[in-house]
Amino acid sequence: MQFQIQGADAVSKARAGTITTDHGTIETPIFMPVGTVGTVKAVHTAELTDKIKAQIILGNTYHLYLRPGLEVLNQAGGLHKFNGWNKPILTDSGGYQVYSLSGKRKIKEEGVTFQSHIDGSRHVFSPEYVMDIQRKIGADIIMAFDECTPYPCEYGYAYKSLQMTHRWLDRCIARLAETEPMYGYNQTLFPIVQGSVFKDLRIQSAEYIASKGADGNAIGGLSVGEPAEMMYETTELVCKILPYDKPRYLMGVGTPANILENIALGIDMFDCVMPTRNGRNGMLFTTEGIINIKNKRWEADFSPIDPGLQNQNSEVYTKAYLRHLFIADELLGLQIASIHNLSFYLWLVGEARQHILAGDFATWKTMMVEKVMRRL
Amino acid sequence: MQFQIQGADAVSKARAGTITTDHGTIETPIFMPVGTVGTVKAVHTAELTDKIKAQIILGNTYHLYLRPGLEVLNQAGGLHKFNGWNKPILTDSGGYQVYSLSGKRKIKEEGVTFQSHIDGSRHVFSPEYVMDIQRKIGADIIMAFDECTPYPCEYGYAYKSLQMTHRWLDRCIARLAETEPMYGYNQTLFPIVQGSVFKDLRIQSAEYIASKGADGNAIGGLSVGEPAEMMYETTELVCKILPYDKPRYLMGVGTPANILENIALGIDMFDCVMPTRNGRNGMLFTTEGIINIKNKRWEADFSPIDPGLQNQNSEVYTKAYLRHLFIADELLGLQIASIHNLSFYLWLVGEARQHILAGDFATWKTMMVEKVMRRL
């Protein structure tokens, strides 16, 4: 995997680059739609490329391990072959999902024992096994197995957890070194900085992660309930330590404003369920602001969903029609909203990239943060 | 509206023709996807044209009247403008839906009083009002307001109901004569033959309907639980009486075999929720037979859903992937299955048309009925 920086903002820490993988090139900053169980919810594979202009999608190790399971994915020739998406795929390590199964999991040095949310069956994820799973899924970018601490979190717990996450990272690296990439494509590891909101822990973690010389580095444990300012402070601190010449991925973030602010701090990659999940609840992100499409206000508004977005759906379907679909509880409403919101997110990072390259990112960002978070 | 017959089968009563409306031409025999509330469930408008090759869709007067309501539809400039479908639309009269609201409706000579299934509010549909509603929806083909009798049905009830349906038809015709087409497109009425499964009533009704000289004629009250043989006998009887040079529409039918058998009896138009509803339950109609995609049998079957179908989805997505989507309860599964089944239905009537024009419909039909109803 290669990362090339093509331009950097003079005022902020924002940069524009390209990540080259065996499944194609990604232009950064980039947003990665979340394809939890091997599908970006309510979106056809072709729509991801043609309408949303997605360049890389996310898969969830925990969900894919349970369904369809490793045997099917392996027989298919990996997730790319299974779902027909032939561009890059990043898989999370399953850590975040497993820890969300509160009361159904037990964390030990060796690994995590958990019960499936589907049938209660018992499973064990160790750092080694999670590397094997991600190899079998066929991820271009494999995430390290880590513990994502909650917010708020006791310092003592965060400290101990971080040391284990670091030991787990070494086990992940060792396992990948002794196994081969699958399906004929290279696979690379991104380690994850943790440390909750404690500056000394974040510094310690960032330095440890940076020392591993990985192709890219991630920041985890943010956007878990802490105030946005705390997130930005942590990102700023960590980005100063992580290598400049490697892509930086901020996991699970966030709102359009969060994304713009974090780009300004030096982040290159993002993922979040917000555009699809909130879309399915009728919340639309548009170039003019945020819309609750269920509002009576849109009942007879026959203007396009978002005239500012170069996307067939957003230009063709009207607000009144989409509102009707939500009020009548029609599946097509979920589809249109999902495609629209993802298109908007991809448009937003694409615009950010253009403004970084054009040299006016900082002023554009200030204007956009206000604009995109406005309630219409 | 014009109907031209381009070819007829020598052995059966099947014919191939074209129906010309102000919103475009329809090649018959044709299947009309059902767009209940202004959307064919889980299918984008562009997919209807590009993938499914639909030529005309159905709208439901009862549902559209309740949501989004006439005022919104009228302000939009009709259903075509509202949902972006610019080819022909046929609307049912709401009769069938209203009668399905058992216990929530009262039928009188004047019309039907009913309670909304959404909020229990009271409404009255009279033949006149239902014509006004369909004008406002902007239907190219307006269906007469009729009573659809259940199966089984007492002779006495069927007799009385039929007389009222005929009187209602005259009121529909009168109302349309004194009102203007809307939105600049012509609108034409199809009367409906009723009479349950009683031959004398069906003959009486078909003769009455034929005497009106409408642009097209429909057969209602079938596929409501009667044996298939009874349906075919009734269709055959009625088709002999309905004018040869006008399109014949068999309402709410049916399985792929039902469609082929009824084409052979002289039917030109069909609609049914089966491809979409059954599709959402994981039942796929394919060129090789019927598939329950949830079966474990397809878990690792990486062949296309239906290699025999010229449709991007059916060729690209595999059985194993679609099964996974259903098992994981993913929306994309409903979307793929709906598009596939509708594509299959449109393919089936298109093939029937080609074989009628080629002169080998009867032998092809016998072979296909066996093939498409086979359980795989």
Side-chain angles (χ1 to χ4, degrees):
Chain A
M1 205 192 86
Q2 289 203 314
F3 182 54
Q4 281 199 305
I5 295 176
Q6 297 164 313
D9 186 42
V11 181
S12 72
K13 296 280 190 287
R15 64 262 190 90
T18 52
I19 298 169
T20 309
T21 77
D22 282 0
H23 277 103
T25 296
I26 304 151
E27 295 187 327
T28 63
I30 191 71
F31 178 81
M32 306 181 280
V34 178
T36 313
V37 205
T39 152
V40 175
K41 289 187 193 302
V43 177
H44 284 283
T45 309
E47 290 170 336
L48 279 173
T49 355
D50 303 347
K51 294 189 172 169
I52 293 164
K53 313 287 182 200
Q55 300 180 42
I56 171 170
I57 63 170
L58 210 92
N60 283 112
T61 288
Y62 167 80
H63 289 288
L64 290 165
Y65 163 81
L66 293 177
R67 287 188 303 211
L70 299 184
E71 202 179 311
V72 170
L73 283 171
N74 191 216
Q75 282 183 58
L79 181 56
H80 289 89
K81 289 271 162 52
F82 188 60
N83 70 5
W85 169 258
N86 56 21
K87 292 174 192 283
I89 292 176
L90 178 150
T91 42
D92 74 356
S93 64
Y96 184 78
Q97 269 77 29
V98 166
Y99 301 120
S100 308
L101 300 168
S102 56
K104 289 190 173 173
R105 45 90 178 152
K106 214 171 194 173
I107 307 168
K108 290 185 184 172
E109 182 72 26
E110 174 53 29
V112 181
T113 309
F114 63 93
Q115 276 184 276
S116 155
H117 73 286
I118 303 164
D119 61 5
S121 56
R122 287 185 181 279
H123 305 266
V124 181
F125 273 7
S126 66
E128 291 78 12
Y129 190 38
V130 163
M131 294 303 102
D132 296 350
I133 297 173
Q134 292 182 77
R135 282 243 190 259
K136 272 202 181 149
I137 293 173
D140 298 273
I141 299 174
I142 288 174
M143 298 307 298
F145 195 55
D146 64 336
E147 178 174 5
C148 178
T149 47
Y151 178 84
C153 178
E154 294 284 323
Y155 183 87
Y157 188 89
Y159 176 83
K160 275 194 194 169
S161 165
L162 182 62
Q163 311 313 319
M164 189 180 66
T165 285
H166 289 174
R167 287 190 298 271
W168 281 3
L169 172 59
D170 293 336
R171 287 167 60 187
C172 289
I173 291 170
R175 183 60 154 214
L176 288 180
E178 65 193 32
T179 54
E180 293 292 319
M182 290 189 69
Y183 316 120
Y185 295 88
N186 279 299
Q187 301 182 295
T188 197
L189 178 77
F190 278 24
I192 303 170
V193 174
Q194 288 288 354
S196 187
V197 292
F198 304 107
K199 286 187 183 175
D200 61 324
L201 296 186
R202 284 286 177 180
I203 291 171
Q204 188 193 327
S205 185
E207 285 172 349
Y208 191 79
I209 267 55
S211 76
K212 299 296 169 183
D215 283 339
N217 300 289
I219 309 176
L222 290 179
S223 205
V224 290
E226 79 286 357
E229 280 315 311
M230 228 173 228
M231 179 208 301
Y232 300 145
E233 279 168 27
T234 309
T235 304
E236 189 173 15
L237 183 70
V238 170
C239 281
K240 279 183 187 158
I241 301 167
L242 291 179
Y244 179 80
D245 60 348
K246 300 290 155 115
R248 301 177 189 130
Y249 162 32
L250 181 57
M251 304 181 77
V253 174
T255 65
N258 291 159
I259 287 178
L260 293 177
E261 296 295 0
N262 282 299
I263 288 174
L265 298 171
I267 297 292
D268 309 292
M269 304 165 73
F270 300 89
D271 81 283
C272 192
V273 293
M274 188 175 271
T276 37
R277 182 175 294 166
N278 292 25
R280 292 198 304 278
N281 289 321
M283 182 179 181
L284 302 184
F285 299 99
T286 81
T287 56
E288 296 300 317
I290 295 171
I291 285 177
N292 176 353
I293 199 66
K294 294 180 187 173
N295 277 350
K296 189 148 178 83
R297 168 167 181 196
W298 313 111
E299 188 178 34
D301 185 326
F302 302 109
S303 67
I305 297 170
D306 189 352
L309 206 62
Q310 297 292 319
N311 170 288
Q312 209 199 328
N313 288 311
S314 311
E315 283 167 348
V316 169
Y317 293 118
T318 65
K319 295 185 182 78
Y321 183 56
L322 185 55
R323 177 186 187 269
H324 163 66
L325 295 176
F326 269 93
I327 297 299
D329 213 12
E330 281 288 336
L331 291 169
L332 185 58
L334 312 183
Q335 300 168 230
I336 295 172
S338 301
I339 292 177
H340 168 78
N341 276 354
L342 286 174
S343 299
F344 171 79
Y345 266 65
L346 266 297
W347 170 86
L348 189 69
V349 293
E351 286 290 295
R353 178 180 161 83
Q354 293 312 314
H355 286 281
I356 294 166
L357 293 173
D360 64 350
F361 173 77
T363 49
W364 172 83
K365 188 214 78 176
T366 308
M367 181 273 292
M368 278 308 278
V369 164
E370 191 275 321
K371 199 172 169 186
V372 297
M373 296 309 287
R374 193 166 52 193
R375 296 258 163 190
L376 296 181
Chain B
M1 208 192 85
Q2 289 202 316
F3 182 55
Q4 280 199 306
I5 294 175
Q6 296 165 312
D9 185 44
V11 182
S12 73
K13 296 279 188 291
R15 64 261 191 92
T18 53
I19 299 170
T20 309
T21 76
D22 283 0
H23 277 103
T25 296
I26 303 151
E27 295 188 327
T28 63
I30 191 70
F31 178 81
M32 305 181 281
V34 178
T36 314
V37 205
T39 153
V40 175
K41 288 187 195 301
V43 177
H44 283 282
T45 310
E47 290 170 337
L48 279 172
T49 356
D50 303 345
K51 294 190 173 170
I52 293 164
K53 314 286 181 199
Q55 300 180 42
I56 171 171
I57 63 170
L58 209 92
N60 284 113
T61 288
Y62 166 79
H63 289 287
L64 290 165
Y65 163 80
L66 292 178
R67 289 187 302 208
L70 299 183
E71 203 179 309
V72 169
L73 283 170
N74 191 217
Q75 283 184 58
L79 182 56
H80 289 89
K81 289 269 161 52
F82 188 61
N83 69 7
W85 170 258
N86 55 20
K87 294 174 191 281
I89 292 177
L90 178 149
T91 41
D92 75 356
S93 65
Y96 184 79
Q97 269 78 27
V98 166
Y99 300 120
S100 308
L101 299 169
S102 57
K104 290 191 173 173
R105 45 88 179 156
K106 213 169 192 174
I107 307 168
K108 289 184 180 172
E109 183 71 26
E110 174 52 28
V112 181
T113 308
F114 63 93
Q115 277 184 273
S116 155
H117 73 286
I118 302 163
D119 61 6
S121 56
R122 287 186 180 280
H123 306 266
V124 182
F125 273 6
S126 66
E128 291 79 9
Y129 190 40
V130 163
M131 294 304 103
D132 296 351
I133 297 173
Q134 291 182 79
R135 282 244 191 258
K136 274 205 180 144
I137 293 173
D140 298 274
I141 300 175
I142 287 174
M143 298 306 299
F145 194 55
D146 63 336
E147 178 174 5
C148 178
T149 46
Y151 177 84
C153 178
E154 293 284 324
Y155 182 88
Y157 188 91
Y159 176 83
K160 276 194 192 168
S161 164
L162 183 62
Q163 312 313 316
M164 188 179 68
T165 284
H166 290 173
R167 288 190 298 273
W168 281 3
L169 172 59
D170 292 337
R171 288 166 59 187
C172 289
I173 292 169
R175 182 60 156 212
L176 287 180
E178 65 193 30
T179 53
E180 293 293 321
M182 291 189 71
Y183 316 119
Y185 296 88
N186 280 298
Q187 303 181 294
T188 196
L189 178 78
F190 278 24
I192 303 170
V193 174
Q194 288 288 353
S196 186
V197 293
F198 304 108
K199 287 189 182 173
D200 62 325
L201 297 186
R202 284 287 178 179
I203 292 170
Q204 187 194 328
S205 185
E207 284 172 349
Y208 191 78
I209 265 56
S211 75
K212 299 296 169 183
D215 284 338
N217 300 290
I219 309 175
L222 290 177
S223 204
V224 290
E226 79 286 355
E229 280 314 312
M230 228 173 227
M231 178 207 302
Y232 299 145
E233 279 168 25
T234 309
T235 305
E236 188 172 17
L237 182 71
V238 170
C239 280
K240 279 183 186 155
I241 300 166
L242 291 180
Y244 180 80
D245 61 349
K246 301 288 155 119
R248 302 176 188 131
Y249 164 30
L250 181 57
M251 302 180 79
V253 174
T255 66
N258 291 157
I259 287 179
L260 293 176
E261 295 296 358
N262 282 299
I263 287 173
L265 298 171
I267 298 293
D268 309 293
M269 303 165 73
F270 299 89
D271 81 283
C272 193
V273 293
M274 187 174 273
T276 37
R277 182 174 295 168
N278 292 25
R280 292 197 304 278
N281 289 321
M283 183 179 179
L284 302 184
F285 299 99
T286 81
T287 56
E288 295 301 317
I290 295 170
I291 285 177
N292 175 355
I293 199 65
K294 294 181 189 172
N295 276 351
K296 188 148 178 80
R297 166 165 183 198
W298 314 111
E299 187 177 35
D301 186 326
F302 302 107
S303 67
I305 296 170
D306 189 352
L309 206 61
Q310 296 295 317
N311 169 290
Q312 209 200 328
N313 288 311
S314 311
E315 283 167 347
V316 168
Y317 292 118
T318 66
K319 295 185 182 77
Y321 183 57
L322 184 55
R323 175 183 188 270
H324 163 65
L325 294 176
F326 269 92
I327 297 299
D329 211 13
E330 281 289 333
L331 291 168
L332 185 59
L334 312 182
Q335 299 168 230
I336 295 172
S338 301
I339 292 177
H340 169 78
N341 277 354
L342 287 174
S343 298
F344 171 79
Y345 266 66
L346 267 297
W347 171 86
L348 188 69
V349 294
E351 285 290 296
R353 179 179 160 84
Q354 293 312 315
H355 286 281
I356 295 166
L357 293 173
D360 64 350
F361 173 78
T363 48
W364 173 82
K365 188 213 78 173
T366 308
M367 181 273 293
M368 278 308 279
V369 165
E370 190 274 320
K371 199 172 171 187
V372 297
M373 297 309 287
R374 188 165 55 189
R375 296 258 166 188
L376 296 181

